[in-house]
């Protein structure tokens, strides 16, 4: 088999890359380890930055997003018994949209298939060879047949636990956090129209949503937490305590899903070796506090699609040579923002009085200074694509 771009992974990065390339007249094949229904059901991110939404509109992927996505013009920071709104619309003139990652994935798969796109699910034993100049992807297809896919370039979009990153030597720059998030998805109507980030003496809590019927909630827990230790009753009780504020009530309802996610910052540099390009979680991850992971994956593949178009259609290597540096600028801005939000909002185990006072001072400054609030709003709603200093 032959194609121009062999894409490993059908998450937001791989699928959107395939879509953008097809619009430019470039062929690709997407190889995914899981089944279609698995990737369409996987509950993950929920916040789309303004530039992400604009891009999805520009490339014809926003019909359902514009109908079902929930536009938000701010968030609340809750601490020290008070609730403080950061008004994005007023501060930076744009907002975010709440729309589940799995909905983005469903829309992308439908668009690729309607367009005759080649997506192979349930492949296994993927190998990458010839990445210096003549790439070949080996894989076993869903029927158990061993296959070889020859391509001009490979896009490693296989997420944090994929195999692409391991195909070349790179530097890893990372940080582990001494806590995790317990997340639940509940069939309960949201009682508040925006996200709430709470810094409480018991630990961080986040109030989010997916639709007018479904609430998404998170609690800071120790990293080794067993999800079975958190009954629904205990989870609701703790959420009620940490999110409490005057006039705020939490609607409870059946818990549809519950899971524990570790927190880590991680960057692999560079993001390219020869004809292999990493994009999205395959190259970098952020703690979820800044809601940046999926947005970064999307920003990467926008740069990559343009660079590959120049290379494959005109033999112009400028874009592919700049790819890693261009992406890493935005990646490091998002790494900093996510680390900053994480440090400001979580209870640091073993924090001394000095650390705690600094945290409270940072929170008070962020909600009372227009300059500080604007910085949060600018980063949260997303810096324009391609313009990160
Ligand atoms: P993905 O989505 O992990 O997709 C990679 C795909 O590659 C497949 N794969 C392989 N396929 C073939 N062969 C192999 N050897 C393979 N190995 C892996 C996998 O099955 C998978 O389908 O990476 P991608 O496309 O880079 O997208 C990244 C995002 O998924 C991720 O950054 C976000 O989910 C992070 N994230 C959030 N991001 C946001 O922008 N906003 C949020 O509000 C947000 N909240 C979150 C999050 C992630 C969370 N978890 C569970 C990690 C909240 C949570 C709880
Ligand atoms: C979510 O709705 O899943 C979500 C929202 C904001 C975050 C992280 C996750 O910072």
């Amino acid at each position: 088999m032959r194609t121009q771009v062999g894409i490993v992974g059908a998450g937001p990065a791989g699928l959107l890359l395939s879509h953008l390339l097809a619009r430019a007249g470039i062929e690709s094949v997407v190889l995914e380890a899981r089944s279609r229904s698995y990737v369409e059901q996987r509950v993950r991110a929920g916040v789309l930055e303004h530039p992400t939404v604009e891009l999805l509109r520009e490339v014809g992927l926003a019909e359902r997003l514009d109908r079902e996505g929930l536009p938000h013009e701010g968030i609340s920071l809750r601490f020290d018994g008070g609730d403080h709104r950061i008004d994005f619309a007023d501060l930076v003139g744009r907002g975010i949209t709440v729309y589940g990652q799995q909905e983005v994935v469903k829309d992308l798969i439908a668009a690729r298939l309607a367009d005759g796109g080649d997506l192979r699910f349930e492949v296994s034993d993927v190998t990458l060879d010839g990445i210096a100049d003549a790439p070949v992807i080996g894989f076993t297809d869903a029927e158990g047949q061993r296959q070889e896919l020859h391509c001009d370039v490979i896009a490693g979009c296989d997420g944090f636990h994929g195999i692409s990153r391991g195909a070349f030597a790179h530097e890893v720059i990372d940080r582990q956090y001494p806590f995790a998030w317990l997340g639940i998805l509940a069939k309960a109507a949201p009682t508040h129209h925006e996200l709430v980030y709470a810094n409480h003496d018991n630990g961080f809590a986040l109030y989010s949503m997916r639709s007018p019927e479904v609430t998404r909630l998170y609690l800071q827990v120790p990293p080794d937490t067993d999800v079975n230790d958190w009954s629904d009753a205990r989870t609701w009780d703790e959420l009620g305590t940490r999110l409490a504020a005057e006039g705020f009530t939490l609607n409870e309802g059946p818990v549809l899903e519950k899971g524990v996610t570790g927190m880590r910052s991680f960057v692999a540099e560079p993001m390219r070796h020869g004809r292999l390009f990493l994009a999205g979680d395959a190259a970098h991850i952020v703690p979820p506090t800044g809601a940046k992971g999926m947005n970064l994956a999307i920003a990467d593949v926008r740069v990559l699609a343009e660079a590959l178009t120049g290379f494959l259609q005109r033999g112009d290597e400028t874009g592919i040579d700049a790819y890693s540096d261009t992406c890493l600028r935005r990646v490091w801005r998002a790494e900093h923002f996510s680390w900053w939000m994480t440090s400001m909002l979580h209870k640091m185990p073993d924090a001394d009085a000095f650390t705690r006072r600094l945290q409270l001072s940072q929170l008070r400054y962020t909600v009372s200074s227009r300059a500080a609030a604007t910085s949060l709003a600018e980063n949260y709603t997303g810096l324009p694509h391609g313009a990160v200093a």
Side-chain angles (χ1 to χ4, degrees), residues 8-15 31-34 38-39 42-49 101 105 123-126 157-164 181 183 195 197 210 216 218 261-262 279-282 284-286 288 290-298 380:
V8 189
L15 291 165
L31 303 173
E32 166 60 47
R34 304 288 192 154
Y38 183 90
V39 301
R42 189 163 46 190
V43 178
R44 281 187 161 183
V47 172
L48 305 185
E49 289 179 346
Q101 175 169 327
V105 165
V123 308
S124 52
D125 301 319
V126 174
C157 301
D158 47 351
F160 188 62
H161 300 288
I163 47 104
S164 300
W181 280 12
L195 273 64
Y197 288 81
R210 283 292 177 274
R216 177 81 168 142
Y218 298 96
T261 314
D281 277 19
H284 43 73
I285 55 170
V286 287
K292 287 283 165 257
M294 171 171 49
N295 294 292
L296 269 185
I298 286 174
Y380 196 96

Side-chain angles (χ1 to χ4, degrees), residues 62-73:
E63 197 220 323
R64 199 162 65 93
L65 163 65
D66 280 328
R67 233 181 318 120
E68 297 176 17
L70 309 171
H72 286 197
E73 298 201 326

Side-chain angles (χ1 to χ4, degrees), residues 77 79 84-86 362-369 372-373:
L77 299 186
F79 60 93
H84 310 265
R85 182 161 184 267
I86 307 283
Q362 181 67 57
L363 281 162
R364 286 192 206 108
Y365 177 57
T366 301
V367 301
S368 59
S369 151

Side-chain angles (χ1 to χ4, degrees), residues 201-329:
D201 286 343
N202 288 6
F204 170 77
L206 171 61
Y207 177 89
S208 181
M209 62 217 59
R210 283 292 177 274
S211 72
E213 297 85 38
V214 175
T215 318
R216 177 81 168 142
L217 299 139
Y218 298 96
L219 284 172
Q220 175 185 349
V221 291
D224 52 358
T225 294
D226 179 350
V227 69
N228 298 313
D229 290 342
W230 285 83
S231 65
D232 294 356
R234 180 180 177 202
T235 307
W236 286 115
D237 195 42
E238 191 59 25
L239 283 164
T241 303
R242 296 192 197 177
L243 289 166
E246 214 182 301
F248 179 81
T249 49
L250 190 60
N251 249 356
E252 296 185 11
V255 174
L256 308 171
E257 213 196 86
K258 195 185 285 172
V260 175
T261 314
M263 307 269 281
R264 192 165 181 189
S265 302
F266 177 105
V267 182
E269 296 187 4
M271 290 169 59
R272 172 204 177 187
H273 180 86
R275 298 284 184 106
L276 171 60
F277 298 81
L278 302 180
D281 277 19
H284 43 73
I285 55 170
V286 287
T289 328
K292 287 283 165 257
M294 171 171 49
N295 294 292
L296 269 185
I298 286 174
D300 282 354
V301 298
R302 177 182 211 162
V303 177
L304 185 54
E306 243 171 67
L308 292 179
T309 305
F311 178 55
L312 296 172
Q313 291 186 336
R314 300 187 298 279
D316 177 359
E317 301 196 13
T318 326
I320 57 170
D321 287 345
Y323 171 70
S324 181
D325 287 346
T326 305
C327 289
L328 286 168
R329 294 264 175 148

